[in-house]
Amino acid sequence: MVAWLGRAPLPVLVVTVFAAVYLAAALVLAGLWLARRAGHSESLGPLSPGLLSPLGLIFGLLVGFLVADVWADRDDAAAAVSREASALRDVDLLMAAFPAQRPEVQRLLAEQIDQYVAEEWPEMAGGDATLTVAPARLVAVQSLVLSLPVQTEGQRVAQDRLVTAADQALESRRTRLVLSGSAIDPLRLTALYLVALTTLAAMGCIHADRLRRAGVSLALLATAMALALTLLCAQAAPFAGYFAIDPDLLLQVRPM
């Protein structure tokens, strides 16, 4: 459920999160109304407004910790794509020292990037990417680089750098594939929702003697919570959703 939420289209995500939070607010308001009808309103409040501060702080801290994890994974994923594109570009440029083999390497790089865009990116967006399948064309480039005919000192230096660049491209690919499976732990997201529900209940109890005022307060607080949760869930999957990292950098370095 949480994985689906992070990969859902933005309108669906917004509707789902706002509906869940507004439902919690509605349940709190309905509970207050029922308590008043049953004659138990005095046992619910009004409570001291100071109760809201620690609960709001707990909610804010939980959101902050989760957002920090999400943004860290996203930054790492974007950096991995950037390193991969840079490494592939280095392979293309360094092959100028071996003009006879360069066309073959350029063909393999172009086909590999096309495969990344056509197959791997949709798999990462769906959370189905796996490390079990090696990038065949990039592996072929690595093998070709290791067997290059070195005749000059400049070619020897170029070959060493080519080996490093090919290794970096493979390592960066592995990193982005691993990070494509990033998602918010369902237990932590459930705990965050329960804290939000508790905070909404506290807000309702603070205004338990005036249901209209309680309704307005709950609506405002629920809207703020829903916005925070939407932002959190919308960026939970680095390669999916509205804020997905795209393969533009790889396409920019694709040999023509």
Side-chain angles (χ1 to χ4, degrees), residues 136-160:
R137 296 170 184 84
L138 187 55
V139 172
V141 169
Q142 188 180 45
S143 300
L144 193 153
V145 165
L146 291 171
S147 61
L148 286 171
V150 176
Q151 298 177 350
T152 66
E153 182 63 21
Q155 288 182 331
R156 185 190 65 78
V157 174
Q159 185 187 38
D160 290 342

Side-chain angles (χ1 to χ4, degrees), residues 26-49:
L27 290 175
V28 171
L29 194 61
L32 292 174
W33 181 79
L34 291 174
R36 290 191 64 176
R37 288 288 300 271
H40 300 298
S41 59
E42 292 184 359
S43 62
L44 295 178
L47 301 180
S48 170

Side-chain angles (χ1 to χ4, degrees), residues 80 83-84 86-87 90 163-173:
R83 288 194 303 269
E84 184 178 13
S86 178
D90 286 345
V163 171
T164 301
D167 289 343
Q168 184 177 18
L170 288 168
E171 178 60 30
S172 298
R173 172 186 176 268

Side-chain angles (χ1 to χ4, degrees), residues 72-156:
D73 287 345
R74 182 177 179 82
D75 289 343
D76 290 343
V81 175
S82 179
R83 288 194 303 269
E84 184 178 13
S86 178
L88 293 175
R89 181 59 172 168
D90 286 345
V91 171
D92 183 19
L93 294 177
L94 289 168
M95 282 303 299
F98 304 91
Q101 291 79 19
R102 190 181 189 188
E104 175 65 11
V105 170
Q106 288 182 322
R107 180 187 66 81
L108 291 171
L109 291 178
E111 292 178 356
Q112 187 63 75
I113 291 175
D114 290 341
Q115 189 268 333
Y116 286 160
V117 175
E119 298 179 18
E120 280 196 357
W121 239 260
E123 290 175 353
M124 291 191 300
D128 301 322
T130 175
L131 293 173
T132 57
V133 180
R137 296 170 184 84
L138 187 55
V139 172
V141 169
Q142 188 180 45
S143 300
L144 193 153
V145 165
L146 291 171
S147 61
L148 286 171
V150 176
Q151 298 177 350
T152 66
E153 182 63 21
Q155 288 182 331
R156 185 190 65 78

Side-chain angles (χ1 to χ4, degrees), residues 6 66-83 175-176 179-180 182-183 231-246:
L66 289 178
V67 166
D69 289 343
V70 166
W71 286 353
D73 287 345
R74 182 177 179 82
D75 289 343
D76 290 343
V81 175
S82 179
R83 288 194 303 269
T175 300
R176 67 170 166 82
L179 290 173
S180 69
S182 297
L231 178 63
L232 173 64
C233 294
Q235 302 190 57
F239 295 95
Y242 182 79
F243 299 101
I245 299 172
D246 55 45

Side-chain angles (χ1 to χ4, degrees), residues 6 11 16 20 25-26 37 49-50 55 72-73 78 111-112 118 125 160 192 198 202-203 212 215 221 241 245 249-250:
T16 302
R37 288 288 300 271
L55 290 175
D73 287 345
E111 292 178 356
Q112 187 63 75
D160 290 342
L192 181 60
T198 304
M203 175 65 82
R212 289 187 179 180
L221 182 58
I245 299 172
L249 285 178
L250 295 181

